[in-house]
Amino acid sequence: MLRCGQMMLAQALICRHLGRDWNWEKQKEQPKEYQRILQCFLDRKDCCYSIHQMAQMGVGEGKSIGEWFGPNTVAQVLKKLALFDEWNSLAVYVSMDNTVVIEDIKKMCRVLPFSADTAGESPHDSFITSNQSKGTSAFCPAWKPLLLIVPLRLGINQINPVYVDAFKECFKMPQSLGALGGKPNNAYYFIGFLGDELIFLDPHTTQTFVDTEENGMVDDQTFHCLQSPQQMNILNLDPSVALGFFCKEEKDFDNWCSLVQKEILKENLRMFELVQKHPPHWPPFVPPTKPEVTTTGAEFIDSTEQLEDFDLEEDFEILSV
């Protein structure tokens, strides 16, 4: 599941920097952004999304080193690691209680532009000043690219057939990043479907260790499919899954909301809910921010002892619920 989480995140970064239509070609010179994305996932402790960082951050989610992750756990880990990743600058939203809150996502993704004369003001003050001086129509906050992960439980011991059509519909959305899931003892990254067969990538293959070469490049052969994607019947899917979506711009998110309303929420037994306002019985939503530390994220979680020295939920990040 750690590797599957890396796959979904890597796909989001490809969409972020290279575009959804970009394709890898063997032996072809690749853009510098591509090489930089690969370096985020090298198996080294100082790489932001390395398997070391993900496993160690999982300690804060109650998972000991070496213990298996579920789709929701890996989503929470990616959400926390992304706070240290300034280059990709992703807003990672993980839905709670099968509910996606539009208001919270827009609060997290709308970034107010700062100029030299507003640098000392709070975001709220800057927003008011901009509106007063330029008029509301002239002011438009920037959008922080969104990685939206929706963890779901689609049954008890096996997937409930009533969810099958809606689950497949998610793969059709242009914002789709596929789904994390699998079957007992096997985690897969699902990227599409053919009829009632899910198409997936299988991470259960041992690869030779890869590191940055002297010229700063990464040998990328094993980062791509060495064998054809596989298939499995959708009814064999473990009911614990996590859907992934990427919205580079606000209009992409608005379009996703429209598709969900049209294709998902029409069902009597819905996979998840999409609501406009933050539920009043939930604690207030506070967008997560990077902890105030003087080290990099890699150094900050360099050992499990450091994680045990403080209360993660209180000192590391303010959770939404």
Side-chain angles (χ1 to χ4, degrees):
M1 187 56 70
L2 292 170
R3 293 299 191 193
C4 291
Q6 287 179 321
M7 290 185 204
M8 178 179 281
L9 178 60
Q11 180 61 24
L13 299 185
I14 290 292
C15 295
R16 161 91 168 86
H17 296 287
L18 303 176
R20 187 171 288 270
D21 295 330
W22 178 84
N23 287 310
W24 175 75
E25 295 182 33
K26 191 175 182 180
Q27 306 298 340
K28 181 180 178 181
E29 184 176 351
Q30 305 297 343
K32 65 180 185 300
E33 293 87 355
Y34 167 80
Q35 286 289 331
R36 193 165 178 182
I37 290 171
L38 292 188
Q39 292 173 3
C40 293
F41 297 93
L42 293 175
D43 291 334
R44 298 189 334 208
K45 287 195 295 183
D46 59 345
C47 294
C48 189
Y49 301 114
S50 69
I51 201 156
H52 306 73
Q53 293 285 27
M54 294 181 70
Q56 289 174 344
M57 187 62 81
V59 174
E61 296 296 323
K63 297 290 185 180
S64 302
I65 301 295
E67 190 174 349
W68 288 359
F69 282 36
N72 179 60
T73 303
V74 81
Q76 298 294 342
V77 164
L78 293 178
K79 174 183 173 182
K80 291 184 176 181
L81 288 177
L83 297 174
F84 295 98
D85 181 12
E86 296 181 359
W87 175 60
N88 291 302
S89 187
L90 281 183
V92 181
Y93 179 91
V94 182
S95 67
M96 305 291 291
D97 295 336
N98 291 0
T99 303
V100 177
V101 183
I102 296 174
E103 179 184 49
D104 293 348
I105 289 177
K106 295 208 170 188
K107 183 185 294 185
M108 181 171 63
C109 292
R110 283 176 172 169
V111 182
L112 300 177
F114 285 90
S115 59
D117 57 343
T118 61
E121 301 175 354
S122 69
H124 180 70
D125 293 337
S126 177
F127 180 80
I128 293 175
T129 303
S130 300
N131 279 328
Q132 290 175 341
S133 60
K134 303 177 183 178
T136 304
S137 61
F139 181 84
C140 182
W143 177 265
K144 194 172 184 179
L146 169 68
L147 170 56
L148 169 59
I149 304 178
V150 186
L152 300 170
R153 184 81 187 183
L154 303 180
I156 301 177
N157 296 318
Q158 58 187 26
I159 185 171
N160 190 325
V162 300
Y163 295 120
V164 166
D165 289 341
F167 185 75
K168 292 195 295 185
E169 204 64 44
C170 292
F171 290 99
K172 300 179 184 179
M173 297 178 180
Q175 300 84 2
S176 175
L177 293 175
L180 305 177
K183 57 185 181 180
N185 303 332
N186 289 282
Y188 300 138
Y189 176 35
F190 296 97
I191 58 175
F193 70 93
L194 183 62
D196 287 330
E197 296 288 311
L198 292 175
I199 303 170
F200 66 87
L201 304 181
D202 185 354
H204 300 88
T205 303
T206 303
Q207 307 283 9
T208 302
F209 173 75
V210 176
D211 204 347
T212 308
E213 299 176 351
E214 290 184 3
N215 59 3
M217 307 292 279
V218 176
D219 182 1
D220 63 353
Q221 298 299 307
T222 59
F223 280 79
H224 299 273
C225 296
L226 300 181
Q227 39 188 298
S228 300
Q230 302 178 51
Q231 299 181 30
M232 65 174 276
N233 190 283
I234 193 169
L235 294 179
N236 293 330
L237 179 68
D238 186 275
S240 181
V241 299
L243 301 171
F245 304 94
F246 176 74
C247 302
K248 187 172 184 179
E249 300 176 357
E250 186 170 4
K251 64 181 181 181
D252 297 325
F253 177 64
D254 292 337
N255 175 255
W256 179 83
C257 292
S258 298
L259 290 172
V260 169
Q261 292 279 2
K262 180 181 177 181
E263 303 297 341
I264 305 299
L265 302 185
K266 66 180 181 181
E267 305 291 338
N268 291 329
L269 193 59
R270 301 172 178 178
M271 281 202 310
F272 61 89
E273 296 289 342
L274 177 67
V275 299
Q276 184 70 43
K277 296 293 185 179
H278 186 84
H281 60 281
W282 284 11
F285 175 77
V286 179
T289 56
K290 180 180 176 181
E292 294 296 329
V293 294
T294 56
T295 59
T296 66
E299 295 164 341
F300 185 59
I301 58 170
D302 191 48
S303 69
T304 56
E305 286 77 11
Q306 288 175 283
L307 284 171
E308 294 167 354
D309 286 342
F310 58 90
D311 183 347
L312 274 173
E313 289 190 358
E314 185 171 318
D315 296 329
F316 183 82
E317 176 189 14
I318 301 175
L319 297 178
S320 57
V321 296

